[in-house]
Amino acid sequence: MKDEEIINLYWERDERAVAETSLKYGKLCNYIANNILSNYEDSEECVNDTYFAVWNLIPSRHPDRFRAFISKIARNLALKRYEYISASKRNPAMVTSLEELSDCVSGKGSVESEIEKKHIEETINKFLWQQDIEKRNIFIRRYWYFDSIRDICQYTGFGESKVKSMLYEMRRKLRRYLESEGIEV
């Protein structure tokens, strides 16, 4: 079923919308949640919460890109769940991913306003669209989906050193780009 048809089912408050969403995007949502939570039960709960959130959000919103919309909800819910359940025990791959990016985007007080967050998000998106597709995909797999370096190597066929080098270079470029756009890093 096409995304627009699924969205229409949500607008009509037809419960088939959840089943169709699960059929089309269930694996993606599970993948995102499991990369963050590393626990099947918590991931399943997060995915179910994602469907519930989409059910509640769609009547007031009409997402242009449903895949991105549902991915973002699943990711944010998984990150919230991760924060809640593991103050001391950490998913090493996710923590490493976030630490790598901390040099580019910090959690300073000035970033707390929603307007500035939106500006940063738009600037990062603009930066990523300026990169070639290969580098952009590697960057997104690492910092959006929290894929391990090993998983990225399997996905791309590149060696570990090449992937690490590409990520390092992308982080450096991103930092310079953010600074050139007036964003304090």
Side-chain angles (χ1 to χ4, degrees), residues 11-172:
W11 274 88
E12 295 167 3
R13 307 312 285 163
D14 187 330
E15 292 180 12
R16 289 181 302 150
V18 174
E20 292 296 332
T21 302
S22 176
L23 187 63
K24 188 165 184 180
Y25 294 113
K27 286 182 182 179
L28 174 64
C29 291
N30 270 306
Y31 180 78
I32 292 168
N34 199 50
N35 270 0
I36 294 169
L37 299 170
S38 298
N39 179 291
Y40 178 77
E41 290 81 16
D42 288 335
S43 297
E44 280 293 312
E45 185 176 331
C46 181
V47 170
N48 288 330
D49 290 346
T50 299
Y51 300 146
F52 183 69
V54 171
W55 180 266
N56 288 327
L57 288 170
I58 293 255
S60 62
R61 293 188 185 160
H62 192 281
D64 294 329
R65 295 177 306 196
F66 190 59
R67 178 186 172 102
F69 179 76
I70 195 166
S71 294
K72 186 174 184 177
I73 292 170
R75 182 179 187 272
N76 289 342
L77 288 172
L79 287 170
K80 284 180 186 176
R81 178 86 177 150
Y82 175 79
E83 247 179 63
Y84 174 76
I85 60 176
S86 61
S88 60
K89 54 183 181 175
R90 302 281 186 218
N91 172 343
M94 189 182 84
V95 171
T96 302
S97 292
L98 293 175
E99 285 173 353
E100 288 171 1
L101 270 183
S102 69
D103 289 339
C104 299
V105 182
S106 65
K108 295 179 181 167
S110 65
V111 181
E112 292 304 318
S113 78
E114 286 300 314
I115 294 170
E116 194 162 348
K117 284 182 184 178
K118 188 70 175 165
H119 174 64
I120 291 170
E121 180 181 325
E122 289 170 358
T123 304
I124 291 172
N125 284 338
K126 187 177 172 186
F127 167 80
L128 288 174
W129 281 107
Q130 293 174 0
Q131 308 307 307
D132 68 50
I133 192 164
E134 188 175 78
K135 290 179 182 177
R136 181 172 58 238
N137 286 338
I138 289 171
F139 190 89
I140 290 169
R141 291 189 78 84
R142 180 69 171 154
Y143 301 117
W144 178 262
Y145 295 114
F146 297 110
D147 280 358
S148 67
I149 299 292
R150 186 172 152 195
D151 288 342
I152 294 170
C153 290
Q154 288 177 342
Y155 174 77
T156 62
F158 295 147
E160 191 173 308
S161 62
K162 179 170 182 161
V163 169
K164 285 181 178 179
S165 174
M166 290 172 80
L167 288 169
Y168 174 77
E169 191 58 34
M170 289 280 290
R171 288 191 310 270
R172 261 189 50 226

Side-chain angles (χ1 to χ4, degrees), residues 171-185:
R171 288 191 310 270
R172 261 189 50 226
K173 285 181 179 178
L174 175 59
R175 181 183 179 97
R176 285 194 311 260
Y177 186 79
L178 291 172
E179 289 171 344
S180 75
E181 294 291 316
I183 296 173
E184 186 180 327
V185 184

